[in-house]
Amino acid sequence: MEGFFKHGRGFPSFKNRSNFRSFQYKPGDVKLDGNKIYLPSIGWMRFYNSRPIPQGFQIRTVTLRKKADGWYTSILIKDDSVPDYPTPKEVNTIVGLDMGLTKLVHCSDGSDFDNPRPSTSKKEKRTLKIRQRRLSRKNIGSANRKFEAQKLARLHKKHADKRSAYQWFVANKIVNKADAISVEDLNIKGMKAKCKPKPDDVKQGRFLKNGQSAKRGLNRSISDASWGTLIEKIQYAAAKSGKSFFKVDPKNTSRTCSKCGVVDALSRFGEKFVCTSCGHEAHADKQAAGNIKTRAVQQNGLVIKKLKKVRRDSVKPKQLILFETPTVESTTGKRKQHRARNSFPRCAWEPANSIEFMGY
C-alpha cells in the first residue's frame, strides 16, 4: 500500500497462498533432537535427517521450502574455529575445464563427460509437451487442473534431481583428477540474453528477424546443462578435499592456438580447430580446456612440480604375501625346481614312458 500511494508503483493485488512456498526461522528458534525438529508455532515434527551436524557448529537460520513431493528444510550452520587455508603456489597437477553442450565438460587431459540432457532429450521433451498440453486444457481453478499441475511439477523435479545427482558425480570425478582445478568465469545470464531487436526502416513499427527463435533452443540447452550449479559443486568439492580452485577470463579461449598463441576466429570450424598460422589441429573444446589451464597458471603464478619418471626397464619388486618374511629355507626348494625344469629342452608333448608308447 505504501508503494502505491507514495511511490506510484502500481495497484496492490491480492496475494494467493500458493505464492508463499517458503518461510524462514531466525537463529535460536529451532531445536534438533535426532530425527525430530522443533519449529515455533508448529511444534515437534519428525524429519529425515540426511546429514548429522558436526560438533562445534552452530545452527543459524532454518528455511522450510515446499516442493512438488513435500516440504524440505535447509539448516545453515557456522563454525568460526575453522581456519582459512592459504592457496598454495606449487601444485603437482592442474586440470582445465571447458563447459559445452555436446559434451558437458571437456578436460585438458583429453577426457570428457557426457551431457545426459535430463529435460531437453527427445523423449523427455515429448513427455513434457504432453503434460503441459493436458494442463492447458483443464479449466482454471478446477481440481483437475491442480492435479495436472502437480504431475507437471513432479516431472520438473525429477529432471532437477537427475541433473543434480549427475553433477555431483562429475564434480567428484573432476576433483580426484588433479590438485588444482581451473574453469571459465562465464557470464551465463548474458549468454542467454535476448537478441537485440532490428527495426524495419521501410515499415514503421515493424521489426526484422533477429534470430531469437533459433536462439531459444540454445538457451534451453544452456539452462538444461546448468553450468553455474555445476561450477558451484566443483568448487565445493574442491574446498572439501583441500584442492585449489581458480576462475579465469573466458575471452578467446576457444580461438587461441595452444602451440603458437595466435588468436583468430577463422581457426575454429564447429568442433574442429585448425590454426591459420601454424596449422595445429585439435578438438576445439579440448583445445580451449588446455588454454584455460595455461591461463590459470599464468594469472595465479602457479608452479607445477615435475614428478620423477620411472623407467620401463626397471626391475619390478617382488610381490610378497601380507606378513611374509622371505628366508633361505623357503626359497631353496623353489630354486631347485627352477633348475630342474630348465635342465631339459621343452617340447610340445612328452610321453610318460617312451618304450611303452612306441609299442616295444
Side-chain angles (χ1 to χ4, degrees):
M1 299 295 290
E2 183 180 354
F4 169 69
F5 287 107
K6 289 187 176 181
H7 305 286
R9 294 175 182 170
F11 288 95
S13 59
F14 290 99
K15 302 297 186 295
N16 192 345
R17 66 178 182 179
S18 61
N19 295 338
F20 304 95
R21 305 183 65 88
S22 66
F23 56 94
Q24 192 176 82
Y25 290 106
K26 295 181 180 179
D29 294 343
V30 178
K31 301 176 184 178
L32 291 177
D33 185 11
N35 62 343
K36 293 183 180 180
I37 183 171
Y38 175 78
L39 303 174
S41 303
I42 298 177
W44 287 95
M45 297 186 66
R46 290 184 301 172
F47 79 110
Y48 177 72
N49 193 359
S50 60
R51 279 178 287 180
I53 298 177
Q55 294 182 356
F57 282 81
Q58 300 176 359
I59 298 177
R60 305 302 294 170
T61 57
V62 177
T63 307
L64 271 75
R65 295 182 178 88
K66 185 181 180 182
K67 296 187 178 181
D69 58 346
W71 287 87
Y72 289 78
T73 176
S74 301
I75 302 174
L76 180 66
I77 58 177
K78 181 181 179 182
D79 188 7
D80 297 328
S81 63
V82 178
D84 293 332
Y85 294 98
T87 304
K89 293 298 182 181
E90 293 186 359
V91 294
N92 293 327
T93 53
I94 182 173
V95 61
L97 307 178
D98 181 70
M99 305 297 167
L101 296 177
T102 306
K103 297 288 185 179
L104 184 61
V105 181
H106 290 272
C107 304
S108 58
D109 59 358
S111 61
D112 50 43
F113 294 91
D114 294 331
N115 186 7
R117 297 180 179 270
S119 61
T120 56
S121 62
K122 187 176 181 181
K123 179 181 177 181
E124 296 301 331
K125 283 173 65 176
R126 182 177 180 274
T127 305
L128 189 61
K129 184 178 180 180
I130 293 173
R131 297 284 175 86
Q132 288 174 339
R133 184 170 59 212
R134 288 177 182 174
L135 176 64
S136 65
R137 291 177 177 177
K138 304 301 181 200
N139 294 328
I140 298 176
S142 63
N144 287 337
R145 187 179 180 89
K146 292 181 181 179
F147 178 72
E148 289 296 335
Q150 246 184 357
K151 291 178 64 176
L152 181 61
R154 284 196 295 266
L155 180 62
H156 281 293
K157 187 179 183 302
K158 179 183 176 182
H159 295 165
D161 291 343
K162 284 184 177 180
R163 184 184 300 110
S164 179
Y166 184 73
Q167 286 182 349
W168 279 119
F169 168 78
V170 172
N172 291 323
K173 285 285 186 181
I174 290 173
V175 169
N176 293 333
K177 281 179 175 290
D179 298 332
I181 300 97
S182 60
V183 299
E184 293 177 302
D185 190 9
L186 298 174
N187 182 15
I188 302 175
K189 185 177 180 180
M191 295 171 66
K192 295 192 297 182
K194 291 185 178 181
C195 301
K196 293 183 179 179
K198 296 181 180 180
D200 192 353
D201 298 334
V202 179
K203 298 180 180 180
Q204 297 295 331
R206 298 287 182 175
F207 295 89
L208 301 174
K209 292 183 178 181
N210 60 350
Q212 177 58 35
S213 58
K215 191 176 183 298
R216 182 173 58 182
L218 176 63
N219 292 345
R220 287 178 179 174
S221 298
I222 294 174
S223 300
D224 189 24
S226 190
W227 295 331
T229 57
L230 176 59
I231 292 174
E232 289 178 358
K233 288 179 175 63
I234 295 173
Q235 186 176 4
Y236 173 84
K240 189 176 180 180
S241 303
K243 306 292 183 67
S244 302
F245 182 83
F246 303 100
K247 286 186 177 181
V248 299
D249 185 12
K251 186 177 181 180
N252 294 327
T253 54
S254 61
R255 301 177 179 180
T256 306
C257 179
S258 59
K259 295 294 183 182
C260 60
V262 174
V263 181
D264 191 356
L266 299 177
S267 299
R268 179 165 183 174
F269 302 92
E271 295 184 354
K272 190 176 181 180
F273 183 90
V274 181
C275 181
T276 56
S277 178
C278 64
H280 172 65
E281 296 183 7
H283 192 280
D285 295 324
K286 295 179 181 179
Q287 163 90 7
N291 292 331
I292 294 169
K293 172 184 174 181
T294 305
R295 191 168 294 183
V297 173
Q298 295 175 353
Q299 290 183 0
N300 298 279
L302 300 179
V303 177
I304 301 177
K305 299 179 183 178
K306 293 184 179 181
L307 300 177
K308 295 181 179 180
K309 296 183 179 180
V310 180
R311 292 177 54 184
R312 290 185 177 181
D313 58 347
S314 60
V315 180
K316 295 182 179 180
K318 181 183 177 182
Q319 300 295 329
L320 299 176
I321 305 174
L322 190 62
F323 306 121
E324 178 190 6
T325 303
T327 59
V328 179
E329 292 79 5
S330 61
T331 57
T332 304
K334 295 182 179 179
R335 284 199 225 103
K336 290 182 179 179
Q337 292 178 3
H338 180 72
R339 292 197 204 98
R341 192 184 302 116
N342 296 337
S343 59
F344 298 98
R346 295 182 179 180
C347 58
W349 54 271
E350 184 174 333
N353 194 335
S354 59
I355 299 177
E356 293 179 358
F357 181 78
M358 297 181 66
Y360 290 104

